[in-house]
Amino acid sequence: MRSPRRCSRNGCPRQAVATLTYVYNESTAVVGPLAAFAEPHTYDLCEPHARSLTAPRGWDVVRHEGEFEPPPPTTDDLVALAEAVREAARPAPRPPADDQHHDNPHQTGRRGHLRVIPPNH
């Protein structure tokens, strides 16, 4: 399942609600609603970081004036969640039974995650 995108700021655990893009040739930082997909050279920000962003001297900041809302779950997210639940509910496959001969009591065998090692004679 795809997890929600997180804020790009170091150490920030909050969910991203805005995307920061730099327009270098215009010396402008643009903070807008969260982009549909994470793109290279853009940064996802949580609301506090999106609201408090400042730009270097000589740069302008263009900021979205409305509310920053987290994106609603997509159908893909819901399908992935349903598949993950189904997968977790499936019983684990049983390992094939080892062909053990019972006529040799000192034979090496395997049972689950343990191995039986015969004593040296």
Side-chain angles (χ1 to χ4, degrees):
M1 184 176 96
R2 188 175 69 187
S3 62
R5 287 164 38 196
R6 298 282 173 209
C7 183
S8 297
R9 297 290 297 261
N10 284 338
C12 183
R14 292 185 283 261
Q15 182 177 3
V17 296
T19 297
L20 167 64
T21 306
Y22 291 108
V23 183
Y24 291 99
N25 61 348
E26 295 179 17
S27 299
T28 304
V30 179
V31 180
L34 188 64
F37 300 99
E39 297 286 335
H41 309 292
T42 64
Y43 302 90
D44 294 338
L45 300 174
C46 64
E47 186 165 6
H49 285 126
R51 297 260 181 238
S52 66
L53 178 88
T54 59
R57 188 179 331 203
W59 281 59
D60 295 318
V61 176
V62 176
R63 196 181 322 266
H64 173 70
E65 290 297 322
E67 293 294 318
F68 289 113
E69 297 288 330
T74 65
T75 304
D76 293 342
D77 292 339
L78 297 176
V79 169
L81 177 60
E83 287 174 1
V85 169
R86 277 190 223 109
E87 184 67 27
R90 286 189 187 124
R94 298 190 77 153
D98 289 339
D99 293 332
Q100 294 183 3
H101 301 285
H102 296 291
D103 53 353
N104 183 356
H106 299 292
Q107 180 179 6
T108 301
R110 181 169 172 86
R111 183 174 179 125
H113 65 283
L114 303 175
R115 292 183 187 267
V116 177
I117 310 268
N120 293 333
H121 288 302

PDB file of all heavy atoms in Angstrom, residues 1-28:
ATOM      1  N   MET A   1       0.835  -1.164   0.000  1.00  0.00           N
ATOM      2  CA  MET A   1       0.000   0.000   0.000  1.00  0.00           C
ATOM      3  C   MET A   1       0.891   1.242   0.000  1.00  0.00           C
ATOM      4  O   MET A   1       1.915   1.308   0.648  1.00  0.00           O
ATOM      5  CB  MET A   1      -0.901   0.010   1.229  1.00  0.00           C
ATOM      6  CG  MET A   1      -1.859   1.164   1.233  1.00  0.00           C
ATOM      7  SD  MET A   1      -2.991   1.088   2.621  1.00  0.00           S
ATOM      8  CE  MET A   1      -2.178   2.140   3.765  1.00  0.00           C
ATOM      9  N   ARG A   2       0.508   2.220  -0.716  1.00  0.00           N
ATOM     10  CA  ARG A   2       1.252   3.460  -0.787  1.00  0.00           C
ATOM     11  C   ARG A   2       0.959   4.267   0.470  1.00  0.00           C
ATOM     12  O   ARG A   2      -0.176   4.486   0.835  1.00  0.00           O
ATOM     13  CB  ARG A   2       0.810   4.205  -2.043  1.00  0.00           C
ATOM     14  CG  ARG A   2       1.643   5.418  -2.334  1.00  0.00           C
ATOM     15  CD  ARG A   2       1.218   6.007  -3.614  1.00  0.00           C
ATOM     16  NE  ARG A   2      -0.129   6.571  -3.417  1.00  0.00           N
ATOM     17  CZ  ARG A   2      -0.862   7.058  -4.390  1.00  0.00           C
ATOM     18  NH1 ARG A   2      -0.441   7.002  -5.615  1.00  0.00           N
ATOM     19  NH2 ARG A   2      -2.044   7.572  -4.150  1.00  0.00           N
ATOM     20  N   SER A   3       2.022   4.721   1.120  1.00  0.00           N
ATOM     21  CA  SER A   3       1.813   5.511   2.325  1.00  0.00           C
ATOM     22  C   SER A   3       1.650   6.975   1.935  1.00  0.00           C
ATOM     23  O   SER A   3       2.107   7.399   0.891  1.00  0.00           O
ATOM     24  CB  SER A   3       2.994   5.338   3.276  1.00  0.00           C
ATOM     25  OG  SER A   3       4.169   5.810   2.668  1.00  0.00           O
ATOM     26  N   PRO A   4       1.009   7.776   2.799  1.00  0.00           N
ATOM     27  CA  PRO A   4       0.847   9.191   2.470  1.00  0.00           C
ATOM     28  C   PRO A   4       2.216   9.861   2.366  1.00  0.00           C
ATOM     29  O   PRO A   4       3.150   9.493   3.063  1.00  0.00           O
ATOM     30  CB  PRO A   4       0.051   9.769   3.633  1.00  0.00           C
ATOM     31  CG  PRO A   4      -0.263   8.662   4.551  1.00  0.00           C
ATOM     32  CD  PRO A   4       0.423   7.424   4.074  1.00  0.00           C
ATOM     33  N   ARG A   5       2.313  10.835   1.494  1.00  0.00           N
ATOM     34  CA  ARG A   5       3.567  11.557   1.341  1.00  0.00           C
ATOM     35  C   ARG A   5       3.822  12.399   2.577  1.00  0.00           C
ATOM     36  O   ARG A   5       2.917  12.986   3.154  1.00  0.00           O
ATOM     37  CB  ARG A   5       3.521  12.403   0.075  1.00  0.00           C
ATOM     38  CG  ARG A   5       3.623  11.496  -1.139  1.00  0.00           C
ATOM     39  CD  ARG A   5       3.228  12.063  -2.453  1.00  0.00           C
ATOM     40  NE  ARG A   5       3.557  13.427  -2.762  1.00  0.00           N
ATOM     41  CZ  ARG A   5       2.969  14.079  -3.753  1.00  0.00           C
ATOM     42  NH1 ARG A   5       2.047  13.491  -4.489  1.00  0.00           N
ATOM     43  NH2 ARG A   5       3.305  15.321  -4.015  1.00  0.00           N
ATOM     44  N   ARG A   6       5.057  12.464   2.978  1.00  0.00           N
ATOM     45  CA  ARG A   6       5.460  13.186   4.179  1.00  0.00           C
ATOM     46  C   ARG A   6       6.164  14.476   3.792  1.00  0.00           C
ATOM     47  O   ARG A   6       6.670  14.632   2.694  1.00  0.00           O
ATOM     48  CB  ARG A   6       6.415  12.334   5.019  1.00  0.00           C
ATOM     49  CG  ARG A   6       5.783  11.049   5.511  1.00  0.00           C
ATOM     50  CD  ARG A   6       4.903  11.354   6.679  1.00  0.00           C
ATOM     51  NE  ARG A   6       4.168  10.172   7.069  1.00  0.00           N
ATOM     52  CZ  ARG A   6       2.995  10.205   7.634  1.00  0.00           C
ATOM     53  NH1 ARG A   6       2.404  11.348   7.886  1.00  0.00           N
ATOM     54  NH2 ARG A   6       2.375   9.106   7.974  1.00  0.00           N
ATOM     55  N   CYS A   7       6.216  15.376   4.727  1.00  0.00           N
ATOM     56  CA  CYS A   7       6.905  16.654   4.554  1.00  0.00           C
ATOM     57  C   CYS A   7       8.377  16.389   4.242  1.00  0.00           C
ATOM     58  O   CYS A   7       9.001  15.507   4.840  1.00  0.00           O
ATOM     59  CB  CYS A   7       6.760  17.485   5.823  1.00  0.00           C
ATOM     60  SG  CYS A   7       7.491  19.139   5.710  1.00  0.00           S
ATOM     61  N   SER A   8       8.928  17.154   3.309  1.00  0.00           N
ATOM     62  CA  SER A   8      10.325  16.989   2.899  1.00  0.00           C
ATOM     63  C   SER A   8      11.324  17.584   3.888  1.00  0.00           C
ATOM     64  O   SER A   8      12.514  17.299   3.791  1.00  0.00           O
ATOM     65  CB  SER A   8      10.553  17.645   1.533  1.00  0.00           C
ATOM     66  OG  SER A   8       9.790  17.025   0.549  1.00  0.00           O
ATOM     67  N   ARG A   9      10.858  18.395   4.812  1.00  0.00           N
ATOM     68  CA  ARG A   9      11.777  19.012   5.771  1.00  0.00           C
ATOM     69  C   ARG A   9      12.350  17.940   6.695  1.00  0.00           C
ATOM     70  O   ARG A   9      11.618  17.072   7.191  1.00  0.00           O
ATOM     71  CB  ARG A   9      11.058  20.081   6.603  1.00  0.00           C
ATOM     72  CG  ARG A   9      10.532  21.254   5.805  1.00  0.00           C
ATOM     73  CD  ARG A   9      11.633  22.152   5.264  1.00  0.00           C
ATOM     74  NE  ARG A   9      12.413  22.781   6.286  1.00  0.00           N
ATOM     75  CZ  ARG A   9      12.247  24.031   6.707  1.00  0.00           C
ATOM     76  NH1 ARG A   9      11.305  24.793   6.170  1.00  0.00           N
ATOM     77  NH2 ARG A   9      13.011  24.505   7.656  1.00  0.00           N
ATOM     78  N   ASN A  10      13.639  18.007   6.939  1.00  0.00           N
ATOM     79  CA  ASN A  10      14.317  17.013   7.781  1.00  0.00           C
ATOM     80  C   ASN A  10      13.656  16.911   9.148  1.00  0.00           C
ATOM     81  O   ASN A  10      13.416  17.917   9.800  1.00  0.00           O
ATOM     82  CB  ASN A  10      15.788  17.374   7.975  1.00  0.00           C
ATOM     83  CG  ASN A  10      16.605  17.068   6.746  1.00  0.00           C
ATOM     84  OD1 ASN A  10      16.213  16.255   5.927  1.00  0.00           O
ATOM     85  ND2 ASN A  10      17.734  17.721   6.624  1.00  0.00           N
ATOM     86  N   GLY A  11      13.362  15.685   9.550  1.00  0.00           N
ATOM     87  CA  GLY A  11      12.813  15.431  10.872  1.00  0.00           C
ATOM     88  C   GLY A  11      11.340  15.721  11.032  1.00  0.00           C
ATOM     89  O   GLY A  11      10.799  15.520  12.110  1.00  0.00           O
ATOM     90  N   CYS A  12      10.667  16.188   9.995  1.00  0.00           N
ATOM     91  CA  CYS A  12       9.242  16.497  10.114  1.00  0.00           C
ATOM     92  C   CYS A  12       8.418  15.261   9.766  1.00  0.00           C
ATOM     93  O   CYS A  12       8.494  14.768   8.642  1.00  0.00           O
ATOM     94  CB  CYS A  12       8.847  17.661   9.206  1.00  0.00           C
ATOM     95  SG  CYS A  12       7.104  18.111   9.395  1.00  0.00           S
ATOM     96  N   PRO A  13       7.607  14.766  10.704  1.00  0.00           N
ATOM     97  CA  PRO A  13       6.828  13.550  10.445  1.00  0.00           C
ATOM     98  C   PRO A  13       5.442  13.820   9.865  1.00  0.00           C
ATOM     99  O   PRO A  13       4.706  12.888   9.590  1.00  0.00           O
ATOM    100  CB  PRO A  13       6.704  12.937  11.843  1.00  0.00           C
ATOM    101  CG  PRO A  13       6.618  14.141  12.735  1.00  0.00           C
ATOM    102  CD  PRO A  13       7.536  15.167  12.113  1.00  0.00           C
ATOM    103  N   ARG A  14       5.072  15.091   9.678  1.00  0.00           N
ATOM    104  CA  ARG A  14       3.703  15.410   9.265  1.00  0.00           C
ATOM    105  C   ARG A  14       3.443  15.075   7.799  1.00  0.00           C
ATOM    106  O   ARG A  14       4.350  15.035   6.971  1.00  0.00           O
ATOM    107  CB  ARG A  14       3.414  16.880   9.529  1.00  0.00           C
ATOM    108  CG  ARG A  14       3.348  17.219  11.011  1.00  0.00           C
ATOM    109  CD  ARG A  14       2.943  18.656  11.235  1.00  0.00           C
ATOM    110  NE  ARG A  14       4.028  19.580  10.984  1.00  0.00           N
ATOM    111  CZ  ARG A  14       4.800  20.113  11.909  1.00  0.00           C
ATOM    112  NH1 ARG A  14       4.611  19.810  13.177  1.00  0.00           N
ATOM    113  NH2 ARG A  14       5.763  20.941  11.602  1.00  0.00           N
ATOM    114  N   GLN A  15       2.158  14.879   7.498  1.00  0.00           N
ATOM    115  CA  GLN A  15       1.727  14.573   6.134  1.00  0.00           C
ATOM    116  C   GLN A  15       1.832  15.827   5.271  1.00  0.00           C
ATOM    117  O   GLN A  15       1.512  16.936   5.707  1.00  0.00           O
ATOM    118  CB  GLN A  15       0.278  14.078   6.146  1.00  0.00           C
ATOM    119  CG  GLN A  15      -0.221  13.702   4.773  1.00  0.00           C
ATOM    120  CD  GLN A  15      -1.634  13.150   4.821  1.00  0.00           C
ATOM    121  OE1 GLN A  15      -2.257  13.098   5.870  1.00  0.00           O
ATOM    122  NE2 GLN A  15      -2.130  12.737   3.686  1.00  0.00           N
ATOM    123  N   ALA A  16       2.288  15.650   4.041  1.00  0.00           N
ATOM    124  CA  ALA A  16       2.421  16.770   3.109  1.00  0.00           C
ATOM    125  C   ALA A  16       1.053  17.192   2.587  1.00  0.00           C
ATOM    126  O   ALA A  16       0.192  16.362   2.325  1.00  0.00           O
ATOM    127  CB  ALA A  16       3.316  16.377   1.942  1.00  0.00           C
ATOM    128  N   VAL A  17       0.868  18.520   2.462  1.00  0.00           N
ATOM    129  CA  VAL A  17      -0.383  19.074   1.917  1.00  0.00           C
ATOM    130  C   VAL A  17      -0.102  20.121   0.850  1.00  0.00           C
ATOM    131  O   VAL A  17      -1.031  20.670   0.261  1.00  0.00           O
ATOM    132  CB  VAL A  17      -1.263  19.695   3.026  1.00  0.00           C
ATOM    133  CG1 VAL A  17      -1.726  18.637   4.010  1.00  0.00           C
ATOM    134  CG2 VAL A  17      -0.543  20.832   3.733  1.00  0.00           C
ATOM    135  N   ALA A  18       1.180  20.435   0.611  1.00  0.00           N
ATOM    136  CA  ALA A  18       1.550  21.466  -0.362  1.00  0.00           C
ATOM    137  C   ALA A  18       2.807  21.024  -1.098  1.00  0.00           C
ATOM    138  O   ALA A  18       3.566  20.177  -0.618  1.00  0.00           O
ATOM    139  CB  ALA A  18       1.804  22.792   0.344  1.00  0.00           C
ATOM    140  N   THR A  19       3.027  21.611  -2.273  1.00  0.00           N
ATOM    141  CA  THR A  19       4.232  21.334  -3.050  1.00  0.00           C
ATOM    142  C   THR A  19       4.969  22.640  -3.306  1.00  0.00           C
ATOM    143  O   THR A  19       4.366  23.634  -3.717  1.00  0.00           O
ATOM    144  CB  THR A  19       3.881  20.647  -4.389  1.00  0.00           C
ATOM    145  OG1 THR A  19       3.276  19.379  -4.105  1.00  0.00           O
ATOM    146  CG2 THR A  19       5.116  20.412  -5.232  1.00  0.00           C
ATOM    147  N   LEU A  20       6.259  22.636  -3.049  1.00  0.00           N
ATOM    148  CA  LEU A  20       7.126  23.782  -3.291  1.00  0.00           C
ATOM    149  C   LEU A  20       7.894  23.541  -4.580  1.00  0.00           C
ATOM    150  O   LEU A  20       8.505  22.489  -4.761  1.00  0.00           O
ATOM    151  CB  LEU A  20       8.112  23.948  -2.128  1.00  0.00           C
ATOM    152  CG  LEU A  20       9.293  24.893  -2.344  1.00  0.00           C
ATOM    153  CD1 LEU A  20       8.817  26.329  -2.547  1.00  0.00           C
ATOM    154  CD2 LEU A  20      10.256  24.790  -1.171  1.00  0.00           C
ATOM    155  N   THR A  21       7.853  24.527  -5.466  1.00  0.00           N
ATOM    156  CA  THR A  21       8.589  24.468  -6.720  1.00  0.00           C
ATOM    157  C   THR A  21       9.373  25.762  -6.869  1.00  0.00           C
ATOM    158  O   THR A  21       8.839  26.839  -6.594  1.00  0.00           O
ATOM    159  CB  THR A  21       7.623  24.325  -7.921  1.00  0.00           C
ATOM    160  OG1 THR A  21       6.780  23.207  -7.694  1.00  0.00           O
ATOM    161  CG2 THR A  21       8.381  24.128  -9.218  1.00  0.00           C
ATOM    162  N   TYR A  22      10.605  25.663  -7.281  1.00  0.00           N
ATOM    163  CA  TYR A  22      11.419  26.851  -7.534  1.00  0.00           C
ATOM    164  C   TYR A  22      11.421  27.144  -9.030  1.00  0.00           C
ATOM    165  O   TYR A  22      11.635  26.249  -9.846  1.00  0.00           O
ATOM    166  CB  TYR A  22      12.859  26.639  -7.066  1.00  0.00           C
ATOM    167  CG  TYR A  22      12.999  26.572  -5.572  1.00  0.00           C
ATOM    168  CD1 TYR A  22      13.277  25.369  -4.937  1.00  0.00           C
ATOM    169  CD2 TYR A  22      12.870  27.711  -4.798  1.00  0.00           C
ATOM    170  CE1 TYR A  22      13.420  25.303  -3.557  1.00  0.00           C
ATOM    171  CE2 TYR A  22      13.002  27.665  -3.417  1.00  0.00           C
ATOM    172  CZ  TYR A  22      13.281  26.460  -2.813  1.00  0.00           C
ATOM    173  OH  TYR A  22      13.417  26.401  -1.448  1.00  0.00           O
ATOM    174  N   VAL A  23      11.197  28.408  -9.382  1.00  0.00           N
ATOM    175  CA  VAL A  23      11.313  28.869 -10.769  1.00  0.00           C
ATOM    176  C   VAL A  23      12.583  29.716 -10.783  1.00  0.00           C
ATOM    177  O   VAL A  23      12.551  30.913 -10.482  1.00  0.00           O
ATOM    178  CB  VAL A  23      10.071  29.678 -11.205  1.00  0.00           C
ATOM    179  CG1 VAL A  23      10.199  30.084 -12.666  1.00  0.00           C
ATOM    180  CG2 VAL A  23       8.799  28.881 -10.963  1.00  0.00           C
ATOM    181  N   TYR A  24      13.690  29.089 -11.107  1.00  0.00           N
ATOM    182  CA  TYR A  24      14.997  29.723 -10.967  1.00  0.00           C
ATOM    183  C   TYR A  24      15.169  30.936 -11.874  1.00  0.00           C
ATOM    184  O   TYR A  24      15.709  31.958 -11.451  1.00  0.00           O
ATOM    185  CB  TYR A  24      16.111  28.705 -11.217  1.00  0.00           C
ATOM    186  CG  TYR A  24      16.191  27.665 -10.130  1.00  0.00           C
ATOM    187  CD1 TYR A  24      15.617  26.413 -10.300  1.00  0.00           C
ATOM    188  CD2 TYR A  24      16.815  27.945  -8.926  1.00  0.00           C
ATOM    189  CE1 TYR A  24      15.677  25.461  -9.292  1.00  0.00           C
ATOM    190  CE2 TYR A  24      16.884  27.014  -7.906  1.00  0.00           C
ATOM    191  CZ  TYR A  24      16.314  25.770  -8.101  1.00  0.00           C
ATOM    192  OH  TYR A  24      16.369  24.841  -7.103  1.00  0.00           O
ATOM    193  N   ASN A  25      14.707  30.850 -13.124  1.00  0.00           N
ATOM    194  CA  ASN A  25      14.926  31.974 -14.043  1.00  0.00           C
ATOM    195  C   ASN A  25      14.108  33.212 -13.661  1.00  0.00           C
ATOM    196  O   ASN A  25      14.386  34.300 -14.153  1.00  0.00           O
ATOM    197  CB  ASN A  25      14.670  31.573 -15.492  1.00  0.00           C
ATOM    198  CG  ASN A  25      13.252  31.122 -15.752  1.00  0.00           C
ATOM    199  OD1 ASN A  25      12.488  30.888 -14.826  1.00  0.00           O
ATOM    200  ND2 ASN A  25      12.898  30.981 -17.019  1.00  0.00           N
ATOM    201  N   GLU A  26      13.119  33.049 -12.778  1.00  0.00           N
ATOM    202  CA  GLU A  26      12.331  34.190 -12.300  1.00  0.00           C
ATOM    203  C   GLU A  26      12.581  34.483 -10.819  1.00  0.00           C
ATOM    204  O   GLU A  26      11.890  35.316 -10.230  1.00  0.00           O
ATOM    205  CB  GLU A  26      10.836  33.932 -12.536  1.00  0.00           C
ATOM    206  CG  GLU A  26      10.471  33.835 -14.013  1.00  0.00           C
ATOM    207  CD  GLU A  26       8.994  33.561 -14.241  1.00  0.00           C
ATOM    208  OE1 GLU A  26       8.191  33.760 -13.299  1.00  0.00           O
ATOM    209  OE2 GLU A  26       8.656  33.134 -15.339  1.00  0.00           O
ATOM    210  N   SER A  27      13.504  33.765 -10.211  1.00  0.00           N
ATOM    211  CA  SER A  27      13.824  33.924  -8.782  1.00  0.00           C
ATOM    212  C   SER A  27      12.554  33.896  -7.934  1.00  0.00           C
ATOM    213  O   SER A  27      12.310  34.770  -7.115  1.00  0.00           O
ATOM    214  CB  SER A  27      14.591  35.226  -8.542  1.00  0.00           C
ATOM    215  OG  SER A  27      15.797  35.216  -9.247  1.00  0.00           O
ATOM    216  N   THR A  28      11.754  32.849  -8.146  1.00  0.00           N
ATOM    217  CA  THR A  28      10.466  32.729  -7.464  1.00  0.00           C
ATOM    218  C   THR A  28      10.309  31.331  -6.869  1.00  0.00           C
ATOM    219  O   THR A  28      10.635  30.334  -7.510  1.00  0.00           O
ATOM    220  CB  THR A  28       9.310  32.986  -8.454  1.00  0.00           C
ATOM    221  OG1 THR A  28       9.497  34.265  -9.044  1.00  0.00           O
ATOM    222  CG2 THR A  28       7.963  32.938  -7.773  1.00  0.00           C
TER     223      THR A  28
END
